[in-house]
Each structure stands twice: as structure tokens, then as C-alpha cells.
Amino acid sequence: MRDCMDVEAVTKRLRRIEGQIKGIIKMVENGKPCEDVLIQIGAAKSALHKTGQVVLEGHMQHCVLDGVKNGNEAEVLKRLTSAIEQFSRIV
């Protein structure tokens, strides 16, 4: 996994999202307006989606290409299809 993505950058993104989620929890606990909470939920969702895109891109640029170069096309495409299916379920 460390070869296919910038672990530090992905971790940084996830920590930022973690902070967003904690902020949303505080908003709910403090009785902030629903509209404001929903805006922040949308922002966190968007940030998480972008992080997934970064991970998927790294997977394709490294894991998939390496597998194809090593002659494992069928297995690589099967796993790539599975990864894309999993990622596309994130709504």
C-alpha cells in the first residue's frame, strides 16, 4: 500500500476530515441550525470522496500498472473492477 499512494498526504486528508466530523458533532450538541449542519456534512462527504479518488488514482498508477506489466492482467482487472465498485457505493 505504501508504494501506491502518498500515505502522509492521505493521512493528512483523513485527519482533516476527522476534525470536520468532530466539528459537526459539536454543532449538533450545541443546537446549531440544521441547514448549517447539513452544509458541513456535505463538505465532509465531499472531502472523503476526494480522498477516495486520490487513493483510487494511486492504485491505478501503481498497483494496476505493475500487475499488467507482470502479466497478471485478468487478476488486476478483476481487482480494479472490485475497487471501483466499492468506491462507487460511497454516496
Side-chain angles (χ1 to χ4, degrees), residues 32-56:
K32 297 294 182 186
C34 297
E35 296 87 356
D36 295 345
V37 172
L38 290 169
I39 289 168
Q40 293 306 312
I41 288 172
K45 181 178 160 183
S46 178
L48 192 57
H49 184 77
K50 180 60 180 174
T51 304
Q53 288 176 321
V54 168
V55 172
L56 186 58

Side-chain angles (χ1 to χ4, degrees), residues 25-36:
I25 292 169
K26 286 182 182 179
M27 289 176 73
V28 170
E29 290 173 344
N30 294 331
K32 297 294 182 186
C34 297
E35 296 87 356
D36 295 345

Side-chain angles (χ1 to χ4, degrees), residues 6-91:
D6 182 346
V7 174
E8 187 175 321
V10 170
T11 301
K12 185 176 179 179
R13 284 178 175 271
L14 291 171
R15 297 251 187 258
R16 191 175 311 125
I17 295 165
E18 180 180 39
Q20 285 180 291
I21 300 300
K22 288 179 180 180
I24 294 168
I25 292 169
K26 286 182 182 179
M27 289 176 73
V28 170
E29 290 173 344
N30 294 331
K32 297 294 182 186
C34 297
E35 296 87 356
D36 295 345
V37 172
L38 290 169
I39 289 168
Q40 293 306 312
I41 288 172
K45 181 178 160 183
S46 178
L48 192 57
H49 184 77
K50 180 60 180 174
T51 304
Q53 288 176 321
V54 168
V55 172
L56 186 58
E57 182 181 332
H59 176 65
M60 292 187 325
Q61 289 179 351
H62 296 280
C63 301
V64 172
L65 287 178
D66 288 348
V68 170
K69 288 176 184 176
N70 292 326
N72 300 325
E73 295 91 351
E75 178 64 24
V76 168
L77 289 176
K78 181 180 173 183
R79 293 183 67 190
L80 176 59
T81 300
S82 176
I84 292 170
E85 286 176 7
Q86 292 299 320
F87 181 64
S88 66
R89 290 183 186 162
I90 300 172
V91 182

